[in-house]
Amino acid sequence: MPLTKTSPQAECLLAAGLQSRILFPNDEEYTARNDSYWCNSAKLHPACIVQPRSALEVSAAVKALADADQAFAVRSGGHTNWAGSNNIDGGVTIDLSLINLTIYDATTETAHIGPAATWKHVYAELEKHGRVVPGAREAEVGVGGFLLGGGNTFYSGRYGFACDNVVAYEVVLADGRIVTADTAGGYADLFRVLKGGSNNFGIVTRFTMRTLASGPIWGGYAVLPITVMPDAAEAIADFTSNMWRDPDSTLNFSVCHIPRFGGDAVVTVCTNVAGVENPPAFEKFLEMPAVVNNLKMTTLQEVLPYTSLPPDYYNIWYTLCFKNDASIITKTNELHSQLAVQVKEKVPDGDFSTYCSFQPVPNTFTRHSMAAGGNMLGLERYTHDAIMIQANVSVHSKELAEWARSRVRGMVDESIDDGVCPWLHLNYASPDQEVLKSYGGENLLKMREVAIKYDPHGVFQRLCPGGFKISAVED
């Protein structure tokens, strides 16, 4: 039976004056919004969707739901892949899709960005002013989840993680207050924990970021035969240990199995945001035989689609970070090959893909983060260069996704016996990974203290169950 306007979920929102913002299951737009999630796992069945247009309306929704003790989820771009992270069965999904503007302030050289903006639109708007921000490396990712999870960027070699470049947050707290958290005001503690602390403290309705001068970049992708492994592992390790020499170059190296494109392959996405053609940092990779090579002088917007995955699949992600060691890279590649064989046997129609990406996390990232005031990620505890992996299986059914989950986790768990870096990247993690615990005891304590201070009744812990919750972390 369709939800009626007398249901508890709708009654409190109607009383708050939000009747024109509510979508019910029998509304066409409700179906369209639910279908617009990138990953099928996130396509749940909320009792209703509310679409506020401003921080004031977000405040009204949060206060109404909290007072009525109604469960809710928060959606920014809707790109997080696991069920419950940004949608909810039977509760209310606060859909921020209408809070999506990007406004450049020439006086302060900052950008005010709505949480539901996608990075392709952010970059396009700022390019009109000759500016850019250190944001996502994928076009369709939303601003909110990416920045609150830390965010690895094309510019991390010079400016740290994306969250290190946020200078202010407009936040709706659990009691409906709208505050600005920055380093100068009365919410400096809130400002700090939002840098990686996710949705534990409130709903961010505006991010203010420092901007950089934009311009042409060099980059693109190359498709290589899988036979470049294991020699390429040494090239990845060498690139990572020398990133301090060329902080403008970034590498995303992925081993893949994609039946519709012929099976096993390596895809490298290389960029130099200073616009240096064929920079020496990539010399070893440029010498490898390429099946396809479109590396060239280009624009940021043109490179973004190269890391995109197709929508409407069930995606299982796991992540891990380990010391920069070619032998671990080699072992992980072998484990991915074994995983691909298992999935191929299970999915004989070939409608699947697997990959494992290797991404450098040199300690220069951490030094830039600390220079910007620090964040919650806790990487300052690890003094060595590291490699982050993201392992993925994409399949077409929920049943296959559940079958794949333990196998992807097993691949990640088996990849390393020694040399683990304690940090887990929230933006790539599975819900059963202990992300917040990986930030370290001191940061855990800070997050707990701030969560209790600004949300003493635990609204964002009890009623907003999605995401990685500080209340769920065991000591």
Side-chain angles (χ1 to χ4, degrees):
M1 179 181 295
L3 183 75
T4 68
K5 294 187 179 182
T6 59
S7 68
Q9 295 92 341
E11 281 181 357
C12 65
L13 297 171
L14 291 167
L18 297 170
Q19 59 270 21
S20 64
R21 306 288 188 250
I22 304 172
L23 302 175
F24 295 95
N26 55 350
D27 292 329
E28 288 186 8
E29 185 60 17
Y30 172 103
T31 302
R33 291 305 299 154
N34 218 33
D35 288 346
S36 69
Y37 283 92
W38 167 70
C39 180
N40 283 348
S41 301
K43 297 174 183 178
L44 305 182
H45 299 92
C48 62
I49 298 170
V50 61
Q51 295 182 297
R53 293 177 179 269
S54 66
L56 284 172
E57 290 189 349
V58 173
S59 170
V62 168
K63 194 169 188 312
L65 292 166
D67 289 348
D69 209 38
Q70 293 294 330
F72 63 94
V74 182
R75 174 184 182 175
S76 293
H79 206 272
T80 301
N81 64 306
W82 46 278
S85 57
N86 47 25
N87 204 357
I88 190 168
D89 277 325
V92 176
T93 295
I94 301 176
D95 178 4
L96 303 176
S97 59
L98 303 179
I99 307 178
N100 59 14
L101 291 180
T102 299
I103 301 171
Y104 177 62
D105 185 335
T107 302
T108 60
E109 294 187 335
T110 58
H112 304 294
I113 308 172
T118 57
W119 287 102
K120 67 179 180 182
H121 292 127
V122 172
Y123 294 138
E125 180 60 31
L126 293 178
E127 184 58 37
K128 298 175 184 177
H129 307 278
R131 308 300 290 180
V132 70
V133 291
R137 299 166 296 168
E138 203 275 347
E140 302 296 338
V141 169
V143 165
F146 178 80
L147 289 179
L148 291 173
N152 195 4
T153 86
F154 291 123
Y155 298 87
S156 291
R158 283 202 182 274
Y159 301 103
F161 291 92
C163 66
D164 298 316
N165 295 273
V166 178
V167 297
Y169 303 84
E170 180 183 76
V171 189
V172 175
L173 300 177
D175 60 5
R177 282 181 293 158
I178 303 171
V179 304
T180 297
D182 55 24
T183 58
Y187 300 94
D189 53 354
L190 180 59
F191 174 79
R192 178 69 180 271
V193 298
L194 287 168
K195 292 177 179 287
S198 195
N199 67 348
N200 282 283
F201 316 102
I203 298 177
V204 178
T205 49
R206 185 178 67 208
F207 298 84
T208 301
M209 298 186 71
R210 62 173 63 91
T211 67
L212 316 168
S214 66
I217 71 170
W218 175 89
Y221 72 93
V223 179
L224 313 173
I226 196 67
T227 52
V228 301
M229 296 295 287
D231 291 346
E234 294 287 351
I236 297 168
D238 182 69
F239 179 92
T240 302
S241 63
N242 285 286
M243 280 190 73
W244 64 273
R245 300 178 187 273
D246 183 359
D248 296 310
S249 289
T250 61
L251 170 71
N252 189 337
F253 184 102
S254 299
V255 291
C256 315
H257 184 87
I258 309 175
R260 65 182 178 277
F261 293 146
D264 292 333
V266 166
V267 178
T268 62
V269 177
C270 307
T271 58
N272 181 282
V273 292
V276 176
E277 292 190 72
N278 301 317
F282 293 110
E283 180 179 2
K284 292 182 178 180
F285 298 97
L286 295 174
E287 291 173 349
M288 296 175 188
V291 179
V292 178
N293 184 335
N294 84 334
L295 296 167
K296 60 187 177 181
M297 291 301 298
T298 183
T299 65
L300 185 64
Q301 290 91 328
E302 187 174 350
V303 171
L304 291 177
Y306 299 153
T307 56
S308 295
L309 295 171
D312 301 324
Y313 280 81
Y314 292 85
N315 299 277
I316 304 298
W317 287 5
Y318 279 86
T319 189
L320 186 70
C321 201
F322 52 76
K323 67 181 179 181
N324 183 31
D325 187 323
S327 67
I328 303 176
I329 297 170
T330 298
K331 180 179 179 182
T332 304
N333 169 61
E334 293 169 352
L335 290 166
H336 170 263
S337 296
Q338 295 170 19
L339 172 67
V341 170
Q342 293 176 22
V343 181
K344 184 177 180 180
E345 292 174 350
K346 184 70 173 179
V347 191
D349 66 3
D351 189 10
F352 73 92
S353 63
T354 73
Y355 73 81
C356 181
S357 71
F358 299 91
Q359 302 178 34
V361 184
N363 58 27
T364 52
F365 286 14
T366 304
R367 292 203 293 269
H368 292 308
S369 295
M370 298 305 291
N375 55 44
M376 287 291 102
L377 307 184
L379 273 166
E380 64 276 5
R381 297 168 295 148
Y382 192 77
T383 58
H384 306 290
D385 296 329
I387 298 289
M388 172 173 60
I389 65 168
Q390 180 197 18
N392 171 73
V393 168
S394 297
V395 289
H396 56 71
S397 75
K398 185 176 181 180
E399 292 74 22
L400 283 172
E402 288 308 307
W403 172 87
R405 179 174 299 283
S406 63
R407 289 158 178 82
V408 182
R409 170 137 203 174
M411 175 206 140
V412 171
D413 289 345
E414 291 176 32
S415 65
I416 182 168
D417 298 316
D418 183 39
V420 173
C421 170
W423 172 64
L424 294 172
H425 187 29
L426 186 149
N427 299 129
Y428 290 166
S430 174
D432 56 325
Q433 294 191 281
E434 295 182 310
V435 171
L436 300 184
K437 192 171 185 177
S438 79
Y439 292 179
E442 184 178 343
N443 285 338
L444 271 175
L445 179 61
K446 288 178 183 175
M447 289 188 289
R448 284 194 174 111
E449 289 174 344
V450 174
I452 292 170
K453 178 179 178 180
Y454 294 108
D455 185 10
H457 301 294
V459 169
F460 285 96
Q461 306 302 315
R462 296 183 302 106
L463 300 181
C464 183
F468 294 95
K469 292 301 175 183
I470 191 65
S471 57
V473 179
E474 297 180 0
D475 293 326

